[in-house]
Amino acid sequence: MAARQPQTATEQSPEPTGQVDLGLLGNLLGYRLRRAQLAAFQDFIIAMKDYDLRPAQFSVLAIIAANPGLKQSRVSEALGINRANFVALLDELEQRKLARRAAAPGDRRSNALYLTPKGESFLKDAYQHLLQTHEKRIETALGNTDKRNLQDLLDRLAAL
Amino acid sequence: MAARQPQTATEQSPEPTGQVDLGLLGNLLGYRLRRAQLAAFQDFIIAMKDYDLRPAQFSVLAIIAANPGLKQSRVSEALGINRANFVALLDELEQRKLARRAAAPGDRRSNALYLTPKGESFLKDAYQHLLQTHEKRIETALGNTDKRNLQDLLDRLAAL
């Protein structure tokens, strides 16, 4: 680096600090959304380290818990997870004995999904821990009123 | 489907409408963030159909335009894109003659990135079109004041 000729103000920076000019990107709301979402997911993953649970895995467990017996295709559809990824995700949850597939009545091509008793209690524990760590950090960062405002704004965007 | 015995209220639904109970998931802000982000990206992709440009590709072009000659590793780092994905993404932009790699002065292991003249004008056009379609739809959905509020809230979350 020492022998390098600085070309621009940015290149003079001795370390890759991430202080990069966003240019046009900074004007697009979608970019801000993506950065905030990545930060929230990173924080979720840290909070769930001892549970070894990623956001998508939590989502699947929560949807199955709230809709026991729902068909596999409808769970993946509700979460917008593509079929190949969903099968791999479910395989892992089955191997960990948290969820199980069963024949869907009247539809041999599809599976109905259920949590195991172990899965039920695992989800409950994980959720309580998330509330006390991840979700509390978000509330602290935003405050309760702004958190509710943000929820409303996000829901309006989700309906784009 | 006609011969099927309905088991629950959910299963009686003749079509997979996506009307699934979110359960615990509905209480997590990260889930709302993710849904809003996916909706915004979907809208971006629709707006950029004629340009054949995905959000990540736009991001890379915008960062290079604002920081010509920046090293490849710093561009990928600034955007949080992993190395393998970034190389593939850049290969495609090079094949389309929108961006180019050049030797980084004083660092043989890294490439400096530049837009081609074609890339500069392509980015400018794409951005103008985004403002008139995608970004305008977001502004219409939220209103100007709420869009600014949302930007502030998202930036606070990104700093989690």
Side-chain angles (χ1 to χ4, degrees), chain A residues 4 11 16 20-21 27-29 32 34-35 37 67 69-70 77-78 127 135 142 146 151 155-156, chain B residues 10-11 16 20-21 27 29 32 34-35 37 58 67 69 77-78 105 127 135 142 146 151 155-156:
Chain A
R4 191 171 156 212
E11 281 196 324
V20 164
D21 184 353
N27 303 327
L28 297 184
L29 188 77
R32 308 267 184 99
R34 179 63 170 159
R35 297 311 299 216
Q37 179 259 312
N67 309 272
L70 196 64
E77 212 175 74
Y127 177 67
E135 206 65 19
L142 298 178
D146 274 350
Q151 282 174 345
D155 289 349
R156 277 155 68 192
Chain B
T10 304
E11 283 196 321
V20 163
D21 183 353
N27 303 326
L29 188 76
R32 308 265 183 102
R34 179 64 169 160
R35 296 313 299 216
Q37 179 259 311
F58 179 90
N67 309 271
E77 211 174 76
Y127 177 68
E135 206 64 20
L142 298 178
D146 274 350
Q151 282 174 344
D155 288 350
R156 279 157 66 191

Side-chain angles (χ1 to χ4, degrees), chain A:
Chain A
M1 287 293 266
R4 191 171 156 212
Q5 293 295 318
Q7 303 292 310
T8 66
T10 303
E11 281 196 324
Q12 285 173 0
S13 170
E15 293 291 324
T17 55
Q19 294 302 314
V20 164
D21 184 353
L22 290 176
L24 301 176
L25 205 49
N27 303 327
L28 297 184
L29 188 77
Y31 176 73
R32 308 267 184 99
L33 260 176
R34 179 63 170 159
R35 297 311 299 216
Q37 179 259 312
L38 287 174
F41 273 35
Q42 193 53 43
D43 189 78
F44 180 106
I45 288 165
I46 290 167
M48 286 288 96
K49 192 163 179 273
D50 290 347
Y51 291 79
D52 188 20
L53 201 66
R54 299 187 306 276
Q57 294 172 314
F58 179 89
S59 303
V60 171
L61 292 178
I63 293 286
I64 300 174
N67 309 272
L70 196 64
K71 288 206 291 184
Q72 183 164 332
S73 54
R74 291 201 58 205
V75 178
S76 61
E77 212 175 74
L79 291 170
I81 303 176
N82 74 44
R83 192 185 172 80
N85 290 344
F86 191 77
V87 167
L89 204 159
L90 208 56
D91 284 347
E92 203 189 325
L93 295 176
E94 262 197 341
Q95 276 157 25
R96 291 171 67 179
K97 311 239 181 285
L98 299 174
R100 63 186 178 84
R101 296 165 163 107
D107 185 353
R108 290 185 190 180
R109 291 167 310 170
S110 191
N111 289 310
L113 303 182
Y114 299 90
L115 294 196
T116 63
K118 181 186 169 190
E120 301 269 8
S121 93
F122 177 83
L123 175 65
K124 215 170 283 180
D125 287 355
Y127 177 67
Q128 285 307 321
H129 189 69
L130 276 175
L131 289 187
Q132 288 158 21
T133 54
H134 169 67
E135 206 65 19
K136 185 164 277 178
R137 282 195 285 270
I138 290 177
E139 269 166 28
T140 305
L142 298 178
N144 272 329
T145 309
D146 274 350
K147 190 188 165 195
R148 273 194 300 274
N149 288 342
L150 180 56
Q151 282 174 345
D152 291 344
L153 292 166
L154 293 173
D155 289 349
R156 277 155 68 192
L157 267 190
L160 255 190

Side-chain angles (χ1 to χ4, degrees), chain B residues 5-21:
Chain B
Q5 294 294 317
Q7 302 291 312
T8 67
T10 304
E11 283 196 321
Q12 285 173 1
S13 170
E15 293 291 326
T17 54
Q19 295 301 314
V20 163
D21 183 353

